Amino acid sequence: MSTTSPTPSLPAPAHAARLREALLAADFTADGLLDLLGAPAYAALARSETVPALRATRGDSPLETLVRLFLLQEAVEYGRVAAALPLEEALADGWVVREDDTVRATVDIRPYGGPDGEDWFIASDLGCAVGGASGIGRKDEGVVLGVGGASTTLAGITVRTPVSSALDLGTGSGIQALHAAQHATLVTATDLNPRALDFTRLTLALSGAGEAELLQGSLFEPVDGDTYDLIVSNPPFVISPGARLTYRDGGMGGDDLCRTLVQEAGERLNDGGYAQFLANWQHVEGEEWQDRLRSWVPRGCDAWIVQREVQDITQYAELWLRDSGDHREDPQRYAERYAAWLDEFEARKTRAVGFGWITLRRNPAVVAGAVEPSIVIEEWPHPVEQPLGDTVRAHFERQDYLRAHDDAALLTEHFTLAPEVMQEQVGLPGAEDPEHVVLRQNRGMRRATKVDHVGAGFAGVCDGSLSAGRILDAIGQLMGEDPVLLRDRTPQAIRLLVEEGFLLPAGEAREG
């Protein structure tokens, strides 16, 4: 599809460092915005409601000027802008344009706080930052969006260990490349849309990050046969009838783009490397959605796939028709587009669409056939605590541990209760004993699991000092149960508690 730019050109990054200095000097940062606007106006801006922010920026401070210029995209008096920016350089490079006695921004510049308190800036097309002055509703081909919920979700779940090489596939405004630049020696960013690559260059320069290798093309075509330690992608995953909008529509039928991306990622990973994606997938009549996703996992890889949300086809169509602003057009035209979406789903026997995270890890032992791949596919629509990068890495480490320990070996191991786990007893008020016991995590995935009295007692005394078998023997004596039978029936419960992160292996600890 064509990637015609919505505006003739983008700014040059020649004096981006000077512009960054001015933005920081004015406290044009995520924290500075919150302090200036206040929580209600700041939250309203995220809903594309600008009136509270306009009221909060009626003064003439440099920060108020920059908010009106770059976030609210208002025309601002020339003298006010000159007091806030190196204006001649900004005009020469094309960040702003002069209109008589006022100045207007040519791009959206949005403060973004990095994971370690960094002050970053994300550049995108005017009116296309999520929560921007105009909201999403642009239908220009090649338009580049700013940071939204999907972007921050992917950034939060990405494993952040130091790596030699990282690939941001479908970079958009460059947020994933910016994150990767903090822990990867070499960052490569690709996009089918050349305008997105230009915006990524601006984002990196404004944020004071190093340059990335920027390549144009679809999927893995631009990188030839190169392999990486980390691959991340927030692809155009929307399942739609046709490819109208580059930023969201993949141009392949159904969920084929996401499937192709996942299947081809395996051979692009170095041993031990991670590939992490956001994706949509079809729920097809007569097919289990878990089986569909299992077939996507490439050879040689372990996988953890989490379905976070499911929408029926009418909800899904309405969501994306509103995203593109079709609901504001002629009602008859809107009805025709809506029908086209439903026709597409009907032809593919699609009854719902799932959204979630897909993480692959290339495992040399799986490649060699020494172990079976670990493929965990689950539905988890509940709240989680971001960032989850360490949680994702720990999931795969636990899978390695469990594959290396059969039930007998587990009983010789030592465990500790994860520090964030709490125990809840559920039952009628005044009852002598609870009906059941729940172990609940207060961090990460925030899982909860029911355990019986043996499981609760076992977890409660796991401090690494005794082996699992010795603990079960002691519980058997206290409860008057046969220790041999306890040893036979309990390992599966221990395995589940380890797999879900309630119990942690205690390393080389030994009984005293």
Side-chain angles (χ1 to χ4, degrees):
M1 113 177 235
S2 168
T3 52
T4 305
S5 297
T7 55
S9 61
L10 289 178
H15 300 95
R18 286 265 291 144
L19 180 56
R20 173 177 168 79
E21 289 174 3
L23 298 178
L24 293 176
D27 203 19
F28 187 65
T29 64
D31 290 340
L33 288 183
L34 183 59
D35 290 342
L36 170 67
L37 301 178
Y42 191 82
L45 193 62
R47 300 190 300 269
S48 298
E49 296 292 347
T50 60
V51 172
L54 285 168
R55 293 174 62 84
T57 55
R58 289 175 289 189
D60 58 1
S61 71
L63 178 55
E64 289 165 295
T65 296
L66 295 175
V67 171
R68 282 185 167 252
L69 184 67
F70 289 118
L71 265 65
L72 304 179
Q73 290 144 28
E74 296 282 311
V76 183
E77 295 86 350
Y78 184 93
R80 287 185 58 185
V81 179
L85 292 177
L87 184 51
E88 294 307 314
E89 294 172 354
L91 286 166
D93 288 351
W95 296 97
V96 295
V97 293
R98 184 170 183 176
E99 298 176 349
D100 298 325
D101 293 329
T102 64
V103 174
R104 281 190 178 273
T106 61
V107 294
D108 184 294
I109 298 177
R110 193 153 300 253
Y112 179 84
D116 296 317
E118 302 94 341
D119 290 314
W120 293 340
F121 301 97
I122 311 301
S124 64
D125 271 311
L126 293 174
C128 290
V130 175
S134 302
I136 298 177
R138 293 277 296 272
K139 288 183 283 188
D140 317 63
E141 293 184 356
V143 71
V144 177
L145 269 60
V147 177
S151 302
T152 55
T153 293
L154 179 59
I157 68 172
T158 300
V159 176
R160 299 294 177 195
T161 53
V163 294
S164 296
S165 58
L167 171 64
D168 175 14
L169 193 151
T171 186
S173 56
I175 179 61
Q176 309 305 329
L178 179 56
H179 275 280
Q182 312 309 306
H183 64 103
T185 303
L186 173 66
V187 176
T188 300
T190 71
D191 207 291
L192 178 64
N193 182 3
R195 188 173 180 80
L197 300 177
D198 290 337
F199 268 118
T200 294
R201 184 179 290 108
L202 297 179
T203 290
L204 293 174
L206 274 180
S207 299
E211 295 184 358
E213 179 185 35
L214 304 177
L215 303 174
Q216 182 185 355
S218 178
L219 298 177
F220 291 102
E221 292 174 1
V223 299
D224 195 21
D226 294 342
T227 57
Y228 301 88
D229 301 314
L230 175 67
I231 299 172
V232 292
S233 183
N234 177 19
F237 52 65
V238 177
I239 300 171
S240 59
R244 295 173 60 204
L245 302 175
T246 305
Y247 73 85
R248 71 171 204 191
D249 301 320
M252 296 185 183
D255 52 19
D256 283 354
L257 182 135
C258 291
R259 174 186 56 79
T260 301
L261 178 61
V262 173
Q263 288 179 336
E264 293 184 356
E267 62 185 17
R268 302 291 182 169
L269 284 174
N270 295 325
D271 285 347
Y274 290 91
Q276 299 188 259
F277 315 102
L278 300 186
N280 279 185
W281 44 79
Q282 296 165 238
H283 285 225
V284 178
E285 185 179 342
E287 175 187 66
E288 294 294 332
W289 66 269
Q290 296 94 333
D291 293 338
R292 185 179 192 85
L293 290 173
R294 190 171 286 105
S295 72
W296 292 10
V297 178
R299 181 184 175 277
C301 288
D302 297 321
W304 185 21
I305 301 174
V306 181
Q307 180 168 273
R308 294 286 290 156
E309 184 179 358
V310 180
Q311 288 186 320
D312 68 49
I313 56 175
T314 59
Q315 292 174 309
Y316 191 79
E318 291 162 13
L319 169 67
W320 295 109
L321 286 168
R322 286 187 172 89
D323 169 80
S324 55
D326 287 293
H327 63 301
R328 294 193 291 265
E329 294 185 350
D330 174 69
Q332 180 61 34
R333 182 59 176 155
Y334 173 76
E336 291 172 357
R337 289 199 182 279
Y338 198 150
W341 282 72
L342 298 186
D343 288 343
E344 176 77 6
F345 288 133
E346 183 178 347
R348 295 182 176 277
K349 298 182 178 180
T350 302
R351 54 182 174 81
V353 177
F355 167 82
W357 319 324
I358 298 177
T359 300
L360 307 176
R361 183 191 61 168
R362 184 171 173 85
N363 187 336
V366 174
V367 174
V371 299
E372 290 295 316
S374 165
I375 302 176
V376 177
I377 303 174
E378 62 177 318
E379 186 165 20
W380 191 256
H382 311 293
V384 299
E385 183 184 56
Q386 288 274 33
L388 284 169
D390 287 344
T391 299
V392 172
R393 177 181 50 77
H395 166 87
F396 288 94
E397 291 176 350
R398 291 195 299 269
Q399 296 300 316
D400 289 342
Y401 174 86
L402 291 171
R403 276 182 293 199
H405 292 78
D406 61 18
D407 288 352
L410 278 182
L411 294 178
T412 68
E413 289 292 294
H414 299 238
F415 300 97
T416 60
L417 188 67
E420 73 276 7
V421 173
M422 302 295 290
Q423 176 178 301
E424 300 174 1
Q425 295 187 352
V426 181
L428 294 174
E432 184 175 346
D433 295 312
E435 293 179 10
H436 58 264
V437 176
V438 174
L439 298 182
R440 187 178 301 277
Q441 299 170 352
N442 289 320
R443 298 177 60 191
M445 293 294 286
R446 293 182 173 174
R447 297 187 187 276
T449 187
K450 287 171 56 175
V451 293
D452 60 17
H453 295 293
V454 172
F458 181 89
V461 298
C462 279
D463 61 3
S465 62
L466 296 175
S467 70
R470 287 286 299 276
I471 293 174
L472 290 178
D473 292 344
I475 291 175
Q477 290 179 351
L478 287 172
M479 299 181 65
E481 293 198 32
D482 186 342
V484 175
L485 293 179
L486 273 183
R487 282 175 173 256
D488 286 342
R489 77 169 194 252
T490 307
Q492 190 58 39
I494 297 174
R495 188 172 294 276
L496 179 62
L497 291 175
V498 172
E499 181 176 2
E500 295 190 340
F502 291 94
L503 293 179
L504 306 177
E508 297 301 316
R510 289 293 181 265
E511 297 170 15

